[in-house]
Amino acid sequence: APTPVHVPTPVPGQRASVASSRVHAFYYGWYGAPTYRRASGDEQPWMHWNHEVIADWRDKHPPDVPHKYTPPEEIGSTFYPALGPYSSSDPAVIHQHMQQLQYAGIGVIVVSWYPPEFSDEQLAGMPGYAHNNTSRLMDIAAQYRICVCFHIEPYENRSALSVAHDAQLIQERWGQHPALFRWEGPRGLRPMHYVYDSYHTPVQEWAQVLAEDGANSIRGSAHDAYFIGLFVDNKDGDLVKRGGFDGLYTYFAATGFTTGSTLKEWPRIHRLCNMHNAVFIPSIGPGYDDSRVRPWNAANTRARQDGAYYDNMWQHALELRPSLEFVSITSFNEWHEGTQIERAVEHTSSSTGHVYADYAPRSEDFYLERTSMWAERFEAQRSE
């Protein structure tokens, strides 16, 4: 068990003195809403708030047509956003998000990203939506001195070589952008890319691209970067041992769901990374509840416990000091899985009477304030 950490009560409205570039938050720009009119003048369709109810993978006879939610009253989330079901394309929304991130002391967002010809399953038929929002997002982030990393998502036929091409595309498109996060690490000043579900690709294939002596190595090239792989279970240690990855992150906010999200395993994973000159980036979350989109997944629900769950994950991360370089937060706005720290409000659906969860008895700023407090503590411990 970690050494007890005194948790002071945040002062309502307190702000972090400065956003920390060592505190990263996973950010999703995949939402759409007809409240936002596109440049063409037509209304944007609902996107992601109308998430379908995902069939249980164990169900041998899933429904032919899955149920989809009907925003704005019925959305695919246990919580309801203070901004209402918004569009990720809307500059006014992005400005408000940056203000919330700054308030929370978060200096880097890790933006869910697909190459322009792809999208996630909920946006089938709308390839490139998140990609096309990236420049606008980065332009506004720069105004708040918030930086952007890319979270390279799985897509059809993704391979180590295609990820290398993704890194090249990102460098060519945004390599000189002031909002692109760059870390002065062992490879010098380079961008950082998180690679979700990196285990889908064999380690030896990654090594061809990420190892110094790989047949298609990008090391030392213009689009070289720090690549952070997902640690799900013990075999994923091979990503830094033999695959050429520069670090590991754990992503999942449900403690115990994976080996990587099991808090007692963090010191061991941290030591493994240190042995291979890699960074360990534990992922901290306020809770987990995807019951609106995966009603069969109740075993993985993690109650927020009035902030105690979040505090406990932060506490375990801070026990890895002083050599912990970064922490990541799952998430700023993954509303479907109930991991968001973005402002949420009380809401009752006028169409069905469904009552959404909120942060009561705490304010809608509660998790932003909590994050600010822990981010300051993390920075203070690094400078001790």
Side-chain angles (χ1 to χ4, degrees):
T3 305
V5 174
H6 173 62
V7 182
T9 302
V11 177
Q14 85 176 56
R15 293 177 180 271
S17 56
V18 63
S20 171
S21 63
R22 299 187 184 278
V23 179
H24 298 186
F26 295 104
Y27 183 94
Y28 293 85
W30 56 24
Y31 301 104
T35 50
Y36 176 71
R37 287 192 175 271
R38 295 179 284 200
S40 61
D42 59 334
E43 289 184 349
Q44 189 178 60
W46 287 113
M47 286 182 274
H48 264 273
W49 300 114
N50 59 342
H51 201 292
E52 67 182 43
V53 178
I54 299 169
D56 188 340
W57 58 274
R58 296 160 296 192
D59 187 353
K60 296 180 180 178
H61 303 286
D64 292 333
V65 181
H67 171 74
K68 295 191 76 165
Y69 288 102
T70 52
E73 291 300 309
E74 289 293 306
I75 64 172
S77 172
T78 303
F79 297 84
Y80 202 86
L83 295 178
Y86 52 76
S87 169
S88 298
S89 302
D90 189 342
V93 168
I94 300 171
H95 276 283
Q96 292 187 69
H97 281 174
M98 295 303 142
Q99 291 164 14
Q100 291 186 44
L101 289 157
Q102 197 176 59
Y103 184 95
I106 296 165
V108 180
I109 52 174
V110 186
V111 177
S112 173
W113 182 84
Y114 294 82
E117 63 271 30
F118 295 102
S119 67
D120 69 276
E121 291 180 359
Q122 297 301 312
L123 295 181
M126 299 191 68
Y129 178 66
H131 171 82
N132 294 335
N133 281 335
T134 302
S135 290
R136 180 188 295 116
L137 178 69
M138 292 180 74
D139 288 348
I140 296 173
Q143 297 175 36
Y144 295 84
R145 296 187 177 181
I146 289 172
C147 291
V148 171
C149 282
F150 286 77
H151 200 187
I152 301 175
E153 301 276 12
Y155 51 83
E156 187 177 3
N157 296 322
R158 191 184 75 176
S159 65
L161 200 56
S162 76
V163 169
H165 291 313
D166 295 339
Q168 183 173 3
L169 185 158
I170 290 167
Q171 181 64 28
E172 290 172 353
R173 182 80 177 267
W174 297 292
Q176 302 307 310
H177 199 289
L180 182 68
F181 177 68
R182 300 168 181 86
W183 179 44
E184 185 71 68
R187 297 187 185 280
L189 188 64
R190 298 280 184 181
M192 180 179 287
H193 306 314
Y194 290 70
V195 183
Y196 189 67
D197 281 359
S198 42
Y199 62 86
H200 284 176
T201 300
V203 167
Q204 57 269 29
E205 187 180 326
W206 285 119
Q208 293 297 303
V209 166
L210 299 182
E212 299 282 355
D213 58 352
N216 299 300
S217 180
I218 67 168
R219 297 309 187 184
S221 71
H223 53 283
D224 194 2
Y226 295 100
F227 290 85
I228 313 299
L230 178 64
F231 188 101
V232 175
D233 60 32
N234 290 330
K235 71 177 186 305
D236 297 315
D238 285 345
L239 293 171
V240 294
K241 290 179 185 175
R242 300 187 292 111
F245 273 82
D246 302 289
L248 299 169
Y249 73 113
T250 58
Y251 187 76
F252 298 104
T255 52
F257 174 59
T258 66
T259 302
S261 68
T262 301
L263 305 187
K264 68 180 182 181
E265 299 291 341
W266 284 2
R268 181 177 60 83
I269 304 168
H270 186 44
R271 289 192 299 271
L272 169 70
C273 287
N274 283 342
M275 287 172 56
H276 295 277
N277 200 28
V279 291
F280 176 51
I281 308 180
S283 301
I284 297 161
Y288 185 92
D289 188 341
D290 64 355
S291 56
R292 291 278 278 177
V293 297
R294 299 184 188 94
W296 41 268
N297 194 35
N300 289 312
T301 297
R302 301 291 185 271
R304 294 194 172 217
Q305 302 169 359
D306 195 26
Y309 184 93
Y310 195 44
D311 290 342
N312 184 50
M313 292 194 84
W314 267 105
Q315 181 173 326
H316 276 78
L318 265 59
E319 282 297 309
L320 302 175
R321 66 184 190 276
S323 58
L324 186 69
E325 289 282 350
F326 303 101
V327 295
S328 55
I329 296 170
T330 306
S331 63
F332 177 73
N333 65 338
E334 216 297 7
W335 288 89
H336 308 309
E337 295 182 344
T339 62
Q340 80 292 333
I341 61 169
E342 183 183 354
R343 291 172 179 143
V345 292
E346 179 182 350
H347 188 77
T348 301
S349 168
S350 62
S351 57
T352 66
H354 175 75
V355 178
Y356 290 88
D358 59 17
Y359 306 153
R362 307 294 186 169
S363 75
E364 62 189 53
D365 285 336
F366 178 66
Y367 288 97
L368 302 178
E369 291 169 353
R370 213 86 194 141
T371 304
S372 171
M373 181 197 71
W374 282 112
E376 288 194 3
R377 193 174 189 90
F378 178 47
E379 285 289 356
Q381 287 189 350
R382 283 193 51 80
S383 61
E384 287 176 358

